[in-house]
Amino acid sequence: MSEKIANEIILKGISGSPGICIGKAYLVDSEGVDVVERYHIKKNQIQSEENRFKAAVKKARNELKAIIEDSAKDSRRNTDILEAHRVLLKDKMLYGKILETVKKERINTEWALKKVVTDVKSMFKNMSDSYLKERAADIVHVSDRVMRHLVGAKSKNIAAIDKRVILVAHDLSPAETSQIQLERIMGFITDLGGATSHTSIIARTLDIPAVLGLDKATELIDNGDIIIVDGSAGLVIIHPDEQTLVQFYERKSRYEEYQAAITRKSHLPAVTADGLRLQVMGNIELPEEVVSVLDHGGDGIGLYRTEYQYLNRFNFPNEFELFDKYKEVVEVMAQRPVTIRTLDINGDIAVAYASDIDEPNPALGLRAIRYCLQRPDIFKTQLRAILRAAAFGNVRVLFPMISGYDEILTAKRILNEAADSLASEGAVFNRDIEIGIMIEVPSAVFMADVMAEAVDFFSIGTNDLIQYSLAIDRGNKQVAYLYNPLHPAVIRMIKHTTDVTKDKGIKIFMCGQMAGDPINIPILLGLGIDELSMNPLSIPTVKSMIRSLNVEDTRLFVKDVLKQNTTAEVMKLVQSTFGSLISDKIYTE
Ligand code: PEP
Ligand code: MG
């Protein structure tokens, strides 16, 4: 302990939401739900156990209802997730199974809850898709809430915090995160959670710094400790010394000045010093995030990941539900482009909900377009909703994980059938929309010339292109050191794809995370990418970078980049040529 007080400790986690805050730590944690007793009950006790469970669920639902009503007063807060938690409380897989377990196994409710949740949780956790994996967290949050009522433990009362602090928690559920009062909470950090967790999505919407996945923050930090949270770098510093504090206060004010300056200009177009206009778009997962895209000066939606509408529930959404969500986005964006990507889930989601597919390696399995082509009913429902929403604005459709030309032809055929069926019903829709594919599988890069004949645009998904071409599981920490968009092979693949599009006269976009990091922009500009799409918060910085570049210079620069043999050499060259444009403004020491 004394050593801990004497020395500053630096923890590295996952950046949940950018920005820097410095202040006192406030530990929040729920109590009493980890240790659960197991005991047998007699036949005549079954009914009272059931009643206890039902009462606890009712209390949990009412509690969530109150939080939802409170949150709904603030338009920035996303209540969809909480609504989904309320639905989850009554879900057959949990609710029904728990009651059944109490009855069949004659065990107490707490133990039945723990048992069922552990099973369901492991089903989600075994999925390779990191997004789906994190849905296991939703189940834990929901069951913890019920368990607290069963055992009479107190929950974290975040809404009642009356000091200006930084929250430190083992985990924060979306419900807890959504109780954060912006005037009191400066930022938060958690031991668990990842970049695609709901909690980090809420943090980004609230626009407060957050670092997640720190493993041991709650063990190392005491109430009242001074900590620095650098949400941009995913760093937390405990007991910073005088020098570090000064350095981070300066960094913080530079960051804020810089953000203010670039945000002031973020509504202006991104035009290079020599006059080339680039479209800078936002990636969204939920319709609510559209506001953030507009606030940060986005020219449109370059990637609408539609998985959310399928994941926070346990049955497939119908056409009307999907249409509503798409129409909402399309209308808010007025005539700006909205690129709706069709469902990108792997086979495991069907295991979770329809429970008939089990794959040993889902990342290489029945994912995205492959799944949709095997389930034309599900696919057509989504396509009909997209075509109907297209009547209200500027919609593009984007097919994920295309690995062969025939997949495009089949997807287009089903799209046509969806349009024909709408026409025969006299529905309001628009079939005249741009069609694109994600370039995220190496075979698509090599077949780009053929594929370009069948579509209007390509969108490079570097997150998966890196995973599949460099053989690096994008969620595996062990090989994360190899995961770098500046690998010469990745740059060559982007170059080849871009060259093909110029030759064939179609547009080339990028929506993978590579597009949102300003240091990559000189290369992407030099290679000739037409449109970049990213997390909305990155838009102002990327626009600012574009303005400070000259296309002709970047083209010449790319020639040098292509002569480099290793990632390290490329990084060194980029840093030495353009690093000052970034570090001068944000992180100069
Ligand atoms: C990508 O793979 O780069 C991409 C944008 O898609 P996702 O991250 O949703 O797989
Ligand atoms: Mg992808």
Side-chain angles (χ1 to χ4, degrees):
M1 274 301 186
S2 57
E3 205 183 77
K4 190 176 104 177
I5 291 165
N7 301 314
E8 74 178 26
I9 303 171
I10 301 175
L11 303 179
K12 180 90 186 91
I14 294 162
S15 165
S17 175
I20 295 171
C21 62
I22 302 168
K24 280 192 179 166
Y26 185 96
L27 270 89
V28 274
D29 244 316
S30 55
E31 41 159 310
V33 293
D34 290 339
V35 187
V36 173
E37 257 190 298
R38 180 184 197 278
Y39 54 88
H40 274 282
I41 53 169
K42 296 195 186 105
K43 198 171 175 195
N44 64 4
Q45 288 177 309
I46 293 176
Q47 193 54 51
S48 69
E49 279 302 295
E50 277 189 14
N51 293 346
R52 238 163 44 79
F53 177 61
K54 284 179 185 167
V57 170
K58 196 169 169 199
K59 279 188 198 157
R61 279 175 65 84
N62 288 343
E63 204 173 59
L64 274 173
K65 189 166 166 240
I67 300 173
I68 291 166
E69 281 167 4
D70 217 39
S71 303
K73 290 177 202 147
D74 184 341
S75 61
R76 283 166 308 188
R77 297 180 194 268
N78 174 10
T79 54
D80 274 14
I81 296 161
L82 308 181
E83 294 283 4
H85 280 190
R86 280 197 88 217
V87 174
L88 204 55
L89 276 169
K90 279 279 182 184
D91 186 82
K92 260 200 206 138
M93 195 156 66
L94 288 174
Y95 190 87
K97 192 97 184 121
I98 291 159
L99 288 177
E100 191 188 303
T101 309
V102 169
K103 208 169 171 177
K104 269 198 187 150
E105 301 187 22
R106 297 249 190 104
I107 49 169
N108 60 320
T109 313
E110 289 87 346
W111 194 259
L113 173 63
K114 194 180 159 87
K115 185 170 187 266
V116 171
V117 168
T118 309
D119 290 351
V120 176
K121 212 171 73 181
S122 69
M123 203 162 89
F124 274 81
K125 280 225 162 121
N126 287 335
M127 296 172 183
S128 74
D129 187 314
S130 64
Y131 180 88
L132 288 181
K133 257 188 196 162
E134 282 165 13
R135 298 293 66 77
D138 291 333
I139 294 168
V140 173
H141 293 313
V142 165
S143 69
D144 273 1
R145 190 174 285 282
V146 177
M147 191 68 93
R148 279 198 298 270
H149 287 293
L150 278 174
V151 300
K154 280 194 232 106
S155 62
K156 301 167 203 160
N157 195 355
I158 288 170
I161 296 172
D162 58 358
K163 310 175 189 96
R164 209 161 146 65
V165 288
I166 299 171
L167 294 189
V168 181
H170 183 58
D171 192 15
L172 277 183
S173 72
E176 287 155 350
T177 315
S178 70
Q179 290 174 39
I180 285 178
Q181 309 285 326
L182 286 179
E183 57 291 355
R184 305 213 186 101
I185 312 294
M186 293 189 251
F188 69 86
I189 61 174
T190 58
D191 294 338
L192 303 184
T196 60
S197 65
H198 284 142
T199 301
S200 93
I201 290 166
I202 293 176
R204 287 200 293 267
T205 319
L206 295 174
D207 207 355
I208 56 172
V211 179
L212 315 178
L214 285 158
D215 288 340
K216 289 189 175 151
T218 50
E219 274 178 41
L220 296 166
I221 300 173
D222 288 328
N223 252 332
D225 280 354
I226 298 290
I227 56 171
I228 299 172
V229 177
D230 183 342
S232 314
L235 283 182
V236 172
I237 303 169
I238 314 169
H239 309 304
D241 62 27
E242 206 56 36
Q243 206 186 345
T244 311
L245 272 175
V246 171
Q247 184 193 333
F248 271 85
Y249 271 119
E250 279 172 9
R251 194 176 273 199
K252 177 172 152 51
S253 61
R254 261 197 315 276
Y255 176 82
E256 285 165 0
E257 268 166 37
Y258 175 64
Q259 281 301 322
I262 58 171
T263 306
R264 273 196 297 277
K265 288 198 205 145
S266 69
H267 292 274
L268 302 172
V271 183
T272 61
D274 50 350
L276 180 81
R277 165 99 200 248
L278 253 94
Q279 298 293 315
V280 181
M281 322 275 277
N283 292 352
I284 61 165
E285 287 81 28
L286 295 165
E288 291 79 2
E289 289 170 293
V290 163
V291 180
S292 179
V293 174
L294 289 176
D295 283 353
H296 291 91
D299 297 312
I301 305 295
L303 172 65
Y304 182 176
R305 291 183 168 104
T306 56
E307 292 76 63
Y308 253 83
Q309 271 93 57
Y310 295 74
L311 297 182
N312 286 323
R313 51 189 295 146
F314 286 85
N315 54 359
F316 286 101
N318 64 35
E319 180 184 321
F320 300 94
E321 289 171 290
L322 294 175
F323 167 66
D324 276 350
K325 295 286 181 196
Y326 303 158
K327 181 165 166 267
E328 199 180 322
V329 173
V330 171
E331 284 187 334
V332 176
M333 293 310 286
Q335 280 310 308
R336 298 178 191 87
V338 176
T339 316
I340 306 181
R341 184 176 71 184
T342 60
L343 192 57
D344 183 357
I345 48 171
N346 64 39
D348 278 6
I349 197 166
V351 176
Y353 309 142
S355 71
D356 58 354
I357 302 167
D358 191 12
E359 293 182 299
N361 202 347
L364 304 179
L366 201 59
R367 183 185 161 182
I369 197 72
R370 303 172 179 182
Y371 177 81
C372 287
L373 297 185
Q374 291 221 354
R375 290 294 306 264
D377 52 331
I378 303 294
F379 194 33
K380 216 179 261 179
T381 301
Q382 183 177 32
L383 293 173
R384 280 173 56 102
I386 295 173
L387 290 167
R388 287 178 55 203
F392 296 85
N394 181 357
V395 168
R396 304 160 171 170
V397 67
L398 175 61
F399 299 128
M401 217 198 168
I402 293 287
S403 62
Y405 180 62
D406 45 353
E407 285 169 334
I408 307 178
L409 299 185
T410 316
K412 282 177 70 174
R413 178 177 52 73
I414 299 175
L415 182 67
N416 265 327
E417 285 170 11
D420 290 346
S421 65
L422 286 167
S424 69
E425 291 162 23
V428 177
F429 76 104
N430 176 12
R431 71 190 304 158
D432 188 20
I433 59 174
E434 290 190 347
I435 301 172
I437 57 165
M438 295 281 294
I439 299 288
E440 51 186 350
V441 178
S443 60
V445 174
F446 293 108
M447 294 300 287
D449 55 333
V450 176
M451 305 229 183
E453 299 290 344
V455 294
D456 302 300
F457 67 94
F458 287 163
S459 187
I460 302 179
T462 46
N463 306 346
D464 277 314
L465 187 60
I466 295 169
Q467 148 160 288
Y468 294 128
S469 58
L470 303 185
I472 303 163
D473 176 348
R474 62 195 255 199
N476 183 340
K477 276 189 186 171
Q478 305 300 321
V479 286
Y481 72 99
L482 288 169
Y483 195 97
N484 194 319
L486 296 182
H487 191 295
V490 177
I491 296 170
R492 281 166 203 221
M493 281 189 284
I494 299 170
K495 179 176 180 350
H496 175 75
T497 312
T498 308
D499 289 350
V500 168
T501 60
K502 304 292 165 192
D503 197 37
K504 297 283 178 183
I506 69 164
K507 283 180 274 180
I508 177 82
F509 311 148
M510 178 175 285
C511 62
Q513 249 153 252
M514 181 179 191
D517 187 343
I519 198 68
N520 300 326
I521 304 302
I523 294 182
L524 300 180
L525 198 58
L527 287 171
I529 303 281
D530 299 314
E531 187 179 292
L532 302 164
S533 193
M534 61 207 67
N535 176 314
L537 295 183
S538 304
I539 294 172
T541 331
V542 167
K543 276 191 159 183
S544 156
M545 185 68 172
I546 291 170
R547 291 192 196 104
S548 55
L549 295 170
N550 187 310
V551 188
E552 219 24 67
D553 292 347
T554 61
R555 284 194 189 129
L556 291 174
F557 174 67
V558 161
K559 289 194 175 159
D560 281 342
V561 169
L562 290 165
K563 289 181 197 143
Q564 310 306 311
N565 295 333
T566 65
T567 309
E569 283 169 24
V570 176
M571 282 174 69
K572 199 168 153 212
L573 186 62
V574 178
Q575 277 296 343
S576 62
T577 319
F578 296 101
S580 63
L581 289 179
I582 297 168
S583 54
D584 274 0
K585 289 172 186 147
I586 315 173
Y587 276 176
T588 317
E589 301 305 343

